[in-house]
């Protein structure tokens, strides 16, 4: 994957030929200590939202922003909606 490129667990499962295995892909991705093929911070929710990350969602947000990736920052949306 190129920097700034994201995909969902479901899309990754489909690329692997296992379209119904999004949850298993997510578990395997989260357990991967060395993210070489798919850097963990680039896997986002199907709705483009940030999902969990071992380094913390704040770090994931920073990494994606640093790479210029498109993602839905639900934390920002929640703050905006509350105002």
């Amino acid at each position: 994957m190129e920097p700034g490129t994201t995909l969902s667990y479901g899309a990754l499962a489909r690329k692997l030929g296992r379209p119904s295995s999004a949850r298993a892909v997510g578990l395997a991705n989260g357990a991967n200590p060395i993210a070489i093929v798919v850097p963990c911070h680039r896997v986002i929710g199907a709705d483009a939202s940030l999902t969990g990350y071992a380094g913390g969602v704040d770090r994931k947000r920073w990494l994606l922003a640093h790479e210029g990736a498109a993602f839905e920052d639900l934390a920002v949306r929640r703050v905006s909606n509350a105002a």
Side-chain angles (χ1 to χ4, degrees):
M1 292 179 70
E2 295 295 319
T5 303
T6 58
L7 83 160
S8 68
Y9 293 110
L12 183 54
R14 287 189 296 278
K15 282 184 168 243
L16 295 171
R18 305 293 299 257
S20 63
S21 299
R23 190 169 283 178
V25 166
L27 290 170
N29 194 51
N32 182 7
I34 303 172
I36 294 173
V37 177
V38 179
C40 300
H41 72 279
R42 294 193 191 138
V43 182
I44 59 176
D47 61 355
S49 65
L50 298 181
T51 56
Y53 177 60
V57 174
D58 288 336
R59 179 166 289 139
K60 181 175 190 166
R61 182 180 294 110
W62 185 91
L63 287 165
L64 290 171
H66 178 71
E67 294 179 351
F71 60 93
E72 181 70 23
D73 195 338
L74 296 179
V76 171
R77 186 183 339 157
R78 283 188 197 113
V79 170
S80 297
N81 289 342

